[in-house]
Amino acid sequence: MSGPDAPTLDQATDAPADAGGSGRFWAPRRVPAGIVAVLLLAGAGLLLYDIVAVRAHRLAMRWRRTLAHQLAERPLDDIWVLAGAALAVALGLWLLALALTPGHRSLLPMRRPHPDVRAALKRDAAAQVLRDRAMELSGVRSVRVRMRRRKAAVHAVSHFRELDDVRADLDTTLTEAIHGLGLTHTPRLALRVTRAARKG
């Protein structure tokens, strides 16, 4: 898009704050949907074939006669009936959970600089940013970061300097880095600083 009325990058960046967040990204769930579709298609096709065979004055398939016989004779409190019912309930709850939850847990939604823009940051990338910022500080030997939607858990190991000084520097630097990620929900920083074990 070009012309005098086309929005520039500066204008998009300066968009009003009511653009809101990107919201969770929904996963397509192709594999579970494909499995359910194939199973339903196979079951419906087999049942339809058996019904047509019965209408053509042939015997019903043996599996359907056996199933009807078992269902007619087994009481409702039979262990196999309860097990089958529990399995059906578990599968139904699993499908409902897949349908009602967005998935893509590895993506952290970002703030929207413009209403037409949606963006997300991978957890590994966000953790790498915090790790790099922490390693730039003096006295930090190693850093381990676990990034979640609501919390950034950071464990740093210091090999010199006072732990309180290192912790204060890390707290300031990582808080700024977390806000700089531009996430919709700013994670809470959970910081732990320990002294490196002495060798020998």
Side-chain angles (χ1 to χ4, degrees), residues 140-160:
V140 177
R141 180 176 181 178
S142 63
V143 180
R144 186 171 66 250
V145 181
R146 294 183 61 185
M147 198 73 185
R148 298 188 177 93
R149 291 186 64 232
R150 300 293 182 181
K151 183 174 70 171
V154 180
H155 177 207
V157 177
S158 175
H159 57 115
F160 68 91

Side-chain angles (χ1 to χ4, degrees), residues 170-187:
L170 282 171
D171 184 74
T172 302
T173 301
L174 294 179
T175 299
E176 293 177 355
I178 289 174
H179 284 282
L181 294 175
L183 301 178
T184 300
H185 302 286
T186 303

